[in-house]
Amino acid sequence: MKVTVSRRAHFNAAHRLYRPNWSDEKNEAIFGKCNNPHYHGHNYELIVSVTGEVDPETGYVVDVKILKDFIKSEIEDTLDHKNLNLEVPEFKHKNPTAENIVIFIYNKLKVVLEDDLDLEVTLYETPRNFVSYSGK
Amino acid sequence: MKVTVSRRAHFNAAHRLYRPNWSDEKNEAIFGKCNNPHYHGHNYELIVSVTGEVDPETGYVVDVKILKDFIKSEIEDTLDHKNLNLEVPEFKHKNPTAENIVIFIYNKLKVVLEDDLDLEVTLYETPRNFVSYSGK
Amino acid sequence: MKVTVSRRAHFNAAHRLYRPNWSDEKNEAIFGKCNNPHYHGHNYELIVSVTGEVDPETGYVVDVKILKDFIKSEIEDTLDHKNLNLEVPEFKHKNPTAENIVIFIYNKLKVVLEDDLDLEVTLYETPRNFVSYSGK
Amino acid sequence: MKVTVSRRAHFNAAHRLYRPNWSDEKNEAIFGKCNNPHYHGHNYELIVSVTGEVDPETGYVVDVKILKDFIKSEIEDTLDHKNLNLEVPEFKHKNPTAENIVIFIYNKLKVVLEDDLDLEVTLYETPRNFVSYSGK
Amino acid sequence: MKVTVSRRAHFNAAHRLYRPNWSDEKNEAIFGKCNNPHYHGHNYELIVSVTGEVDPETGYVVDVKILKDFIKSEIEDTLDHKNLNLEVPEFKHKNPTAENIVIFIYNKLKVVLEDDLDLEVTLYETPRNFVSYSGK
Amino acid sequence: MKVTVSRRAHFNAAHRLYRPNWSDEKNEAIFGKCNNPHYHGHNYELIVSVTGEVDPETGYVVDVKILKDFIKSEIEDTLDHKNLNLEVPEFKHKNPTAENIVIFIYNKLKVVLEDDLDLEVTLYETPRNFVSYSGK
């Protein structure tokens, strides 16, 4: 009996989308307002979903307090109130799109979770735009 | 690495549920208040989810601006502020239930999206009732 | 010690905005898509707020079950799944704008509530557009 | 063509997490504040999702009114305004964690639904913590 | 120039509504399901709103971090994961209705805030029922 | 009969809080993570509320389409996807705190609205922190 346990979290960050090897015109055409060289920002909302067997003694798949602590140490401490392009090495040469951020978050959490737990991460860049990734 | 990108949209419409070949009693029994011959209406909330590979150059699965434009041209321009029974040919002889509307939206969007993108559409008829369809 | 007690409710309805004594061009210019002669509709969300002294015995300003019943009998039974223009006499010759509907709801509830209770009604026509009225 | 129809509901309940065969220290270490012997409580939000073929006559997978009645009779009447540990036999000797409650709800609803309908239940214990179960 | 600064918080608690000097029948008639002697519970959502002049140096009315700490020390530490009837002295002989709880929260916060700041507290007992109090 | 009409909007922006005439230590102590010299950002949600008499002909206090256009031209075009410190002259020498931004928005909208309309602006910096200002 596999149950999925989800925990919601959030962080705020600034970012910019552009390719240094593209002309200004192409960056503007592809990334529009997101290409602003002075950066803009978002309140990122995060849902971390972990699927596994329910422990018959505790009735837990995973202790949500532990999950919350992992999200704090691995994700919030790394991304909250940061400039993603300048302060997160992963995004020095890779665009901090929602897609790339959600893969980054997935990879950071996957390694600290028990191997037999499945993971899916959903990331809201705005209330209207969001992405999800489950390692497939 | 497949990521799902979702975009939220909305439209308002009037509709009525009934079968012309049924008696008034049967229409009333099956469709209840939704059978009102003068129509009633909803704020439909829509989530369009597209799954595909992340482009390594842009970091996008799909440009959300393009997705937003498709939702505008294919769905909002067709359904927003409309009477679904009277003004949308698809629902002239088919009940505009949430189920039938979500399939209609899926089919309209599927043909304009790249072939290698998977699509799922979720449609909220009210904050408490919603449906989803992924072409299966 | 005056406390405000609020109860959320909702109803669905169809409506149309237009003035029969105006030309089609003027109706179109002023009311735009809301002028569709075939009607469109909304999920109206309603917040009814009642302010008064806390009863020292019960700890209630008003029993929310009673407030809920008033909203059901006075508002939902009158407006839910209705065509406001055709089925609600108040809107036969008056436009069912959010402003006029919220005043209508306020007046219907004010007469059934105890005289010493203040009333404010907020009405969401969509999640982005809402109005409120407190009888002033 | 399989569509998923979802209905949102809610109930309020008190509960406590502990294992009678564990020491107080262990209960405190594992369950923290949830181990309070005087109980605490939640507004549980519930999403019941049913997947099946769309009936070509009605345009329904399932009549949401019937689904709503099942949720009322099977779940709300059993759990709403209850102390889960003391008043729900299932949780006399099993911890009422969100995981165990969602499985309980799934099992109660599965038996009353048509056999050819798939079921998934999502349960929010708080707006930030939720679980889901689909019988797998 | 007075600006209102609001901070949202939450706590979970169990409670029961009844009057020991009333008959069981009267308690049942007035308080209904809320009279369950085994308690039930809620996720209380809280909005604390502070109004005052903007400090021209910092641009703050009040430092939200300080407001957050007050809510933690005065309210969450007192009420979160508690049985309000049994563990909060204020509600030993007074019903923990939403009205009485919001007044309690107001009084606890008012004394720790600067005298020249106005305070209003809104408390959601459920997403559909909420109360507010501003000391008037 | 005065009714309040509200319109919700949003914009994304980057910002930083600091005082150039303060030491790094003082900036860090007062503004914490918000002092990050590389900026961070938010999805600002905005509610613009206009109070006035209902026009007996149209049933409008204000045409929401016109209000929406004012919010677009005065606020979104000025603030969306911008770095508030670097690109909005108002915040060159004044901290872009939520308080100062909400006053800025109020002042920009007040001058374009009819004189006999009252205005209140609410600005969510995050879902948990928000401010409001009505010119008093």
Side-chain angles (χ1 to χ4, degrees), chain B residues 10 13 33 41 83 90 94 107 110 113-114 116 123 136:
Chain B
H10 70 276
K33 289 188 295 186
N83 183 308
E90 177 84 10
K94 187 192 285 183
N107 289 337
K110 193 76 182 83
L113 288 170
E114 303 282 336
D116 56 351
L123 179 73
K136 284 166 195 161

Side-chain angles (χ1 to χ4, degrees), chain E residues 95-107:
Chain E
N95 259 330
T97 58
E99 289 92 329
N100 283 336
I101 303 172
V102 81
I103 294 171
F104 171 76
I105 293 171
Y106 175 92
N107 289 338

Side-chain angles (χ1 to χ4, degrees), chain C residues 4-7 47, chain E residues 122-132:
Chain C
T4 299
V5 174
S6 297
R7 172 77 190 169
I47 298 175
Chain E
T122 297
L123 180 71
Y124 286 76
E125 193 173 78
T126 73
R128 298 200 161 261
N129 296 339
F130 55 100
V131 296
S132 58

Side-chain angles (χ1 to χ4, degrees), chain B residues 80-93:
Chain B
D80 189 34
H81 280 76
K82 293 289 168 61
N83 183 308
L84 301 181
N85 303 69
L86 300 179
E87 298 181 278
V88 182
E90 177 84 10
F91 301 116
K92 208 138 224 165
H93 305 296

Side-chain angles (χ1 to χ4, degrees), chain E:
Chain E
M1 290 190 316
K2 292 205 163 190
V3 170
T4 300
V5 175
S6 297
R7 172 77 191 169
R8 187 182 276 266
H10 69 276
F11 59 90
N12 310 319
H15 79 150
R16 175 199 180 183
L17 302 184
Y18 74 112
R19 298 271 308 168
N21 59 331
W22 285 1
S23 68
D24 285 359
E25 290 70 26
K26 185 163 180 189
N27 270 306
E28 176 67 23
I30 301 294
F31 295 119
K33 287 187 296 186
C34 297
N35 180 37
N36 182 342
H38 296 298
Y39 307 102
H40 64 283
H42 297 290
N43 301 328
Y44 291 94
E45 288 280 321
L46 184 68
I47 298 175
V48 175
S49 298
V50 170
T51 302
E53 298 288 339
V54 180
D55 179 301
E57 272 214 309
T58 58
Y60 283 167
V61 167
V62 62
D63 185 337
V64 176
K65 286 189 302 292
I66 293 174
L67 187 57
K68 183 184 170 185
D69 288 346
F70 279 149
I71 296 172
K72 171 87 174 58
S73 65
E74 300 305 306
I75 309 306
E76 291 175 22
D77 289 355
T78 311
L79 302 180
D80 188 33
H81 281 75
K82 293 287 167 62
N83 182 307
L84 301 181
N85 302 70
L86 300 179
E87 299 180 278
V88 182
E90 178 83 8
F91 300 117
K92 208 139 225 165
H93 305 296
K94 186 190 288 182
N95 259 330
T97 58
E99 289 92 329
N100 283 336
I101 303 172
V102 81
I103 294 171
F104 171 76
I105 293 171
Y106 175 92
N107 289 338
K108 293 269 289 180
L109 289 173
K110 193 75 183 83
V111 296
V112 296
L113 289 169
E114 303 282 336
D115 278 354
D116 55 351
L117 294 173
D118 290 326
L119 175 65
E120 181 169 19
V121 179
T122 297
L123 180 71
Y124 286 76
E125 193 173 78
T126 73
R128 298 200 161 261
N129 296 339
F130 55 100
V131 296
S132 58
Y133 180 60
S134 59
K136 283 168 195 160

